[in-house]
Amino acid sequence: MDASGVTIRLIQADEVAAFRRIRLEALRAEPSSFASRYEDWEILPDEEWRNRLNEPVFIAFQDGEPMGIMGLFRQRSSKMVHRATIVMVYVRAHLRGTGLAQRLLEAVSDHARNIGIRQLELFVSAENPAAIRFYQRQGFSEIGRIPGGVLEEGREIDDVIMVRRLVD
């Protein structure tokens, strides 16, 4: 399957159902790819789901169905407001390799530039080499690691910290 006919857009607070559907799917389908657990999110009340949309969340839709997600979490401190972290990255398995993840990243990057973000940051599991390669192809550089950044089923897994400048 290809990603033609897929539209990507910044979702609004009244689209919480689509957000919940794709976020829970991501956590269920790829539990080792996220710092959050499905069990922590499935119990959130509607108000908390809406609150999480106070930060930009982009969803890829095909025929009205969410196919991928990527969010942006901006730093709050006035000295760090130029930085944002990419979060909740997920594309349905049958659409991986179609360029959809790159299109999501472009939408998030464009939005970030438009709101004054100068640097994008992210954390990725050291056990996810495909994601690390993807981010490297998109201009991200590894700047460090957090040893044992995530505890998954009793195992400590390093988080790889990656950064991409949006302005020179």
Side-chain angles (χ1 to χ4, degrees):
M1 187 169 198
D2 65 31
S4 63
V6 174
T7 59
I8 297 170
R9 60 185 170 77
L10 176 63
I11 63 164
Q12 304 303 312
D14 63 348
E15 297 178 278
V16 99
F19 174 42
R20 182 191 330 250
R21 194 159 56 248
I22 195 69
R23 179 63 173 150
L24 290 177
E25 175 186 318
L27 293 169
R28 191 172 40 248
E30 304 287 340
S32 64
S33 295
F34 300 100
S36 298
R37 284 194 164 82
Y38 176 86
E39 296 77 15
D40 298 333
W41 280 69
E42 73 172 335
I43 61 171
L44 294 176
D46 289 345
E47 183 179 348
E48 181 59 28
W49 282 95
R50 277 190 297 280
N51 288 342
R52 296 196 183 206
L53 289 176
N54 289 333
E55 297 291 335
V57 174
F58 287 79
I59 293 183
F61 290 92
Q62 188 171 48
D63 300 323
E65 185 67 24
M67 297 287 156
I69 185 172
M70 190 176 292
L72 192 65
F73 184 80
R74 188 176 197 163
Q75 295 292 328
R76 303 257 188 264
S77 162
S78 61
K79 289 185 176 184
M80 298 183 346
V81 75
H82 65 288
R83 297 169 46 205
T85 304
I86 292 176
V87 295
M88 299 188 292
V89 178
Y90 172 74
V91 170
R92 282 192 176 169
H94 72 279
L95 288 171
R96 293 179 193 158
T98 65
L100 183 54
Q102 182 176 350
R103 286 178 53 203
L104 273 163
L105 182 58
E106 287 169 2
V108 168
S109 298
D110 289 346
H111 179 79
R113 271 187 214 90
N114 290 337
I115 62 171
I117 301 296
R118 299 168 148 251
Q119 181 168 287
L120 292 176
E121 304 167 6
L122 59 85
F123 299 84
V124 62
S125 171
E127 294 185 353
N128 192 344
I132 293 168
R133 286 191 304 274
F134 166 76
Y135 292 120
Q136 287 171 333
R137 287 192 306 271
Q138 304 309 312
F140 283 82
S141 300
E142 180 178 335
I143 60 162
R145 288 180 178 237
I146 300 173
V150 175
L151 189 61
E152 180 71 27
E153 297 179 6
R155 291 179 46 241
E156 291 187 9
I157 302 168
D158 292 358
D159 265 337
V160 176
I161 307 166
M162 301 185 84
V163 172
R164 183 177 90 189
R165 296 286 297 167
L166 293 177
V167 296
D168 293 323

